[in-house]
Amino acid sequence: MRKRRWHFWILVALMAALMTLFKVPMASSQGTTLVAVQVAGDLPIEDLDSPAWQQATAVEVPLSAQTVTKPMNLETRVKSVTARALHDGSRLAVLIEWLDDTRNDQTIRVQDFRDSVALQFPLVDGQPFFCMGMQGGNVDIWHWKADWQADIAAWQDMETVYPDMDVDQYPFASGELPAPSDYQDVNYVPALASGNLFASPRLSPVEDIVAGGFGSLTAESVEGQSVQGYGEWADGKWRVIFSRDLTANDPDDASFTAGKVYSMAFAAWDGANGERNGEKSTSQWVSLQLQGSAGAPAASVQAERPAAPGFPVQTISYILYGAALLLIIIGAIIYFRLPE
Amino acid sequence: MSSERTFLRLLVWAALADWLITRSLARMAIFMPKSPPVLAAYQVIVTAGQYASVLCALLGLIGVGWLAWRARQKSGAAPAVALAVLCILSLASLLASPDGWLVLITQILLLAITGWLGGIISRNVTGAVNKAALLLPVLAIGAGSLYHAYQALFNVMAWPGPSPLAPILFNFGELLAVLSPAGLWWVYGRQSAVTRPWHIYLLALLPAGLFLAARLASPSMAGILAIWSTGLTLYLPSIMYAASLILGTVTLLASHRQGKAAGWALVLLASAGYAPQLSSQMFLALLALSWLAGLWAGEQALPLHAQDGAGAGWIKASLHKIRTRTAL
């Protein structure tokens, strides 16, 4: 009997080895899930006080200092963000709130840094490294910037912080202190002429970026910028809305379908604390679940595209592993009940 | 060695490897230089950790199934069904991502089973102090579970949230988790019949000293590692965590020296961590409590009835000494 017991434990150890080899998970996570509630009518993409937001359950996501790569700041100030999400079947909107004593929406002087917040979605199956993805595991990043938001209200430049400044002249442009858009010939603003997003007129306070590990952050083209945003600071709190179509044609943009669960991560920067680039607070992956029936066409764009015939390889392999597990357990029971 | 004893030993070692390798050592890599030898070493460590995690999850599932069988024999159908449903829900969650209802039902089941185990533990000891001390880990697990259930309830009911009491509940649970080793020490470690107990206390200063040094040298790094490794946020004064480490280590070493199981149950509790999110960690917590409840054949944590009222007796003796001195 003792020999049989050892056979059983060796069998369990071998099963664990096989499961490790074939990456079959044996533990499920019941972590933080942000549910995007499906609402009828237009999404409140610029209305922070809309009652529609009350339909979505807010989730508090803890953040901690990014400590994986330099530059890092171990004493970042944003400790958590509160997130809500809505969708209307064709568009997703996410409202992020976090506490911040100071409003930092200028980066004109070298000593100034902006407040900002970012959402991140994997562009591959599974969860790549939570901090800007990894090689072979790209991530789509939506980065809202307080200074870009302020630029939309009123373009900020050196004269904003130094109102008494004087310049001799800016040739080829109208106005005494021209903005890039004031140039009659765009070739005199090479960054703008070459399609540099940073020199282009601000259409959205959100930069749509793709990354595949540290040092690989790449802004999508001006035409590829598909995320809208709106943010306001009041009473020591930032509230920012991100919105975008659920489906995307660009492979560098994440697509979403109602009824499915996705991974997302958050990052936030407090400009008053000198936080910029890698000096930020980040979250682990949390789940984003889009309410609604799975498989239903989520957006008109998706309806135009022929649906790829999806073969549920993963589900079938899980069922096979489950059946194998059941057979082994039944076999073990029969084995132990047999006479010596 | 009985099957149950073999199983529990295997489970403890797998849980320890999962906790220390996957959730602690592998995550420490973020603070290390990424030279090729370090990367190669970490690939080996991560693979070993993954194996330990899968083995631990598999053993946890078998253990809870086994516990359901034993619960049916000892306490009737209700806890056995609850444990069996918990196993099934855990397996179902591997196929379909757990949504609000699934999480809520799982956490309610977990709360009910924790309460049932707490009842058995409480019945096994006499003396209010002993009961209170042993119920600390039960309450800590219950608070963590209630925290998850509370948040899931907001999602299910589509309430706006964020749940206002959640941070308070989480912090209260963390306080109970930190006090739990002290509770186990009170019952199992304080009056252990080991020779030269000061050796044990001296040894127990090591992990506490290491923790305090790390906390003082780099508070953020220590905080991040603590939350990744144990789920504790370190919001309480550091000295409380250090004291908890000392008493936990003393209990572990004293139990080990006496060949008692309480220390191993403590290892399982530590491996489970506070307010765990993984089903395997939840199972570890339940199995640790069932161990303390004496539900495993030949694996009583300690002959509890032999210690009945030990705490109360100690208090009475101290009061008697004080009265005698005052009278003199």
Side-chain angles (χ1 to χ4, degrees), chain A residues 2 5-6 9 12-13 15-17 19-20 25-31 33 35 54-58 65 67-68 74-75 82 84 261 284 289 318, chain B residues 1 3 6-7 10 30-31 51 54-55 57-58 61 90 93-95 98-99 106-107 154-155 158-162 220 224 228 277-280 282:
Chain A
R2 176 176 287 189
R5 277 189 209 128
W6 279 110
W9 297 123
V12 169
M15 269 180 67
M19 285 171 164
T20 310
M26 274 308 293
S28 56
S29 173
Q30 298 177 354
T33 300
V35 179
Q54 296 306 309
Q55 295 180 45
T57 302
T67 53
V68 184
L74 296 178
E75 303 295 342
T82 303
R84 286 181 170 85
V261 180
Q284 299 283 321
Q289 185 176 23
Y318 282 160
Chain B
M1 194 183 276
S3 291
T6 312
F7 164 75
L10 265 174
I30 65 167
F31 297 106
Y51 176 70
V54 172
L55 183 62
L58 200 57
L61 203 61
S90 163
S93 299
L94 296 177
L95 300 174
D99 66 356
T106 304
Q107 295 299 338
F154 268 71
N155 256 333
W159 291 336
S220 298
I224 290 164
W228 283 0
Q277 295 187 343
L278 282 178
S279 57
S280 57
M282 280 191 269

Side-chain angles (χ1 to χ4, degrees), chain A residues 38-328:
Chain A
Q38 187 159 17
V39 292
D42 292 338
L43 290 176
I45 57 173
E46 287 196 0
D47 185 359
L48 295 159
D49 298 311
S50 165
W53 288 116
Q54 296 306 309
Q55 295 180 45
T57 302
V59 168
E60 189 156 359
V61 182
L63 305 183
S64 58
Q66 184 283 122
T67 53
V68 184
T69 189
K70 289 177 180 174
M72 60 176 85
N73 178 353
L74 296 178
E75 303 295 342
T76 52
R77 287 201 191 139
V78 187
K79 301 298 181 194
S80 68
V81 293
T82 303
R84 286 181 170 85
L86 298 171
H87 79 93
D88 61 2
S90 64
R91 204 168 169 82
L92 172 71
V94 183
L95 170 64
I96 310 292
E97 299 172 55
W98 75 99
L99 299 175
D100 188 339
D101 292 337
T102 53
R103 173 182 179 155
N104 302 97
D105 57 1
Q106 278 187 353
T107 50
I108 295 163
R109 303 184 308 163
V110 289
Q111 62 269 45
D112 291 335
F113 303 100
R114 67 170 81 94
D115 294 330
S116 59
V117 68
L119 308 183
Q120 178 182 271
F121 305 92
L123 289 170
V124 292
D125 287 337
Q127 295 181 338
F129 185 56
F130 69 90
C131 234
M132 293 174 59
M134 60 196 191
Q135 197 173 22
N138 282 2
V139 289
D140 181 15
I141 297 171
W142 305 353
H143 189 181
W144 176 89
K145 302 171 181 187
D147 56 330
W148 284 28
Q149 184 73 62
D151 277 348
I152 290 173
W155 181 264
Q156 303 182 104
D157 212 329
M158 292 297 281
E159 66 271 25
T160 315
V161 283
Y162 301 112
D164 296 329
M165 70 175 282
D166 189 48
V167 291
D168 293 336
Q169 64 166 335
Y170 279 104
F172 317 114
S174 57
E176 192 182 343
L177 292 164
S181 55
D182 294 328
Y183 282 80
Q184 287 130 19
D185 185 347
V186 76
N187 287 313
Y188 288 105
V189 192
L192 185 63
S194 61
N196 186 331
L197 179 66
F198 285 71
S200 304
R202 300 270 182 260
L203 299 174
S204 165
V206 180
E207 185 184 1
D208 194 359
I209 320 169
V210 65
F214 304 126
S216 67
L217 204 61
T218 309
E220 292 187 31
S221 63
V222 177
E223 298 76 33
Q225 296 292 317
S226 53
V227 187
Q228 293 300 308
Y230 181 75
E232 273 182 19
W233 181 90
D235 303 325
K237 186 197 265 187
W238 273 111
R239 292 189 296 164
V240 173
I241 298 172
F242 292 86
S243 64
R244 210 209 68 187
D245 285 341
L246 285 177
T247 48
N249 294 316
D250 190 336
D252 286 339
D253 283 333
S255 278
F256 307 94
T257 306
K260 290 200 171 178
V261 180
Y262 300 88
S263 295
M264 73 185 297
F266 301 81
W269 291 257
D270 181 2
N273 192 33
E275 294 173 23
R276 72 275 195 189
N277 306 324
E279 298 180 35
K280 60 185 174 184
S281 303
T282 61
S283 78
Q284 299 283 321
W285 290 113
V286 300
S287 300
L288 169 69
Q289 185 176 23
L290 270 72
Q291 207 179 52
S293 54
S300 54
V301 182
Q302 192 187 41
E304 289 165 15
R305 289 197 290 183
F311 188 72
V313 177
Q314 203 176 25
T315 308
I316 287 172
S317 50
Y318 282 160
I319 291 167
L320 285 176
Y321 286 126
L325 184 67
L326 203 65
L327 278 175
I328 288 167

Side-chain angles (χ1 to χ4, degrees), chain B residues 55-70:
Chain B
L55 183 62
C56 178
L58 200 57
L59 289 172
L61 203 61
I62 292 170
V64 174
W66 201 321
L67 194 60
W69 179 260
R70 191 151 288 269

